Amino acid sequence: MFKNITLILNCVLVTIALNAQVNKPSKKVLFLGNSYTSVNNLPLIISTLATSAGDSLVYDFNLQGGFRLYDHYNDFNSKFKIAKGDWDYVVLQEQSQLPSFPMADVAKDVLPFAAGLNQLIKDANPCTITQFYMTWGRKNGDSSNCATWPPVCTYRGMDSLLQLRYHLMANYNRAELSPVGAVWNYLRSNFPSIELYQSDESHPSLA
C-alpha cells in the first residue's frame, strides 16, 4: 500500500514538473544596438534572469560597435532579422550621444530612423512590440561635444536630454520604453557606492 502511494505521488510530481516546463512563459526578443547592449553580454544576462524567474527568453541580436539607428535601418542583417517577424519584442538602442544633440540634429539623424525601423517591425508583424532602450549620460558629461553644445557638458545635462529624446521616440512611435537611463540616474543618486561605469566613463560596468 505504502509503495503504491509513493509511486502515485512520484507520478504526480513528475507530471507537475513536466507541465511547468511545457507551460513556462517564453518571449522572443531581438536586440538591435551597439556596444552599450553587447558589453557584459546583456541579452544573456536578461535571459538568465528570466530563467531564474521561471520564464524563458529566446533572443537574437545585431550589436555592432558604434552603430546608429540609421545604420540598422540600412543594414541587411538587421533588416533580415526583423523580417522574420516572429518576435514578441524588438529592442532598439541608439548611439550613446546622438539623442542628446540639438533638436535639429535629432530630427534629422535620429527620429526618421527610429520611425523607419518601427515601421519595418510592424510590417513584419503588427503584434511585435517595439521597445526603445533608454541609455544614460556619460559619467562626467560629453567632453567631446561640450564646446559646441554646452548642455551636454555635465552628466545631468546629457542625461536629461537623453531621457527626453527617448520618451519622444517611444511616444511618437507608440512604442514601449525601457527606462534604463532613468534607473541609472536613481542609482547614481541613491547608491553612489555602486560603480556603474567602466574606466572609459561611458560603457556599463558589470554591476
Side-chain angles (χ1 to χ4, degrees), residues 135-139 141 155 158-159 162 184 188 197 201-202:
T135 58
W136 49 88
R138 296 189 173 183
K139 190 172 187 177
Y155 161 75
M158 182 182 184
D159 190 67
L162 289 171
W184 192 286
R188 278 189 55 141
Y197 297 89
E201 300 188 347
S202 174

Side-chain angles (χ1 to χ4, degrees), residues 123-145:
D123 288 345
N125 183 352
C127 294
T128 298
I129 296 172
T130 302
Q131 188 172 88
F132 287 94
Y133 172 11
M134 176 197 291
T135 58
W136 49 88
R138 296 189 173 183
K139 190 172 187 177
N140 293 297
D142 184 358
S143 59
S144 61
N145 291 290

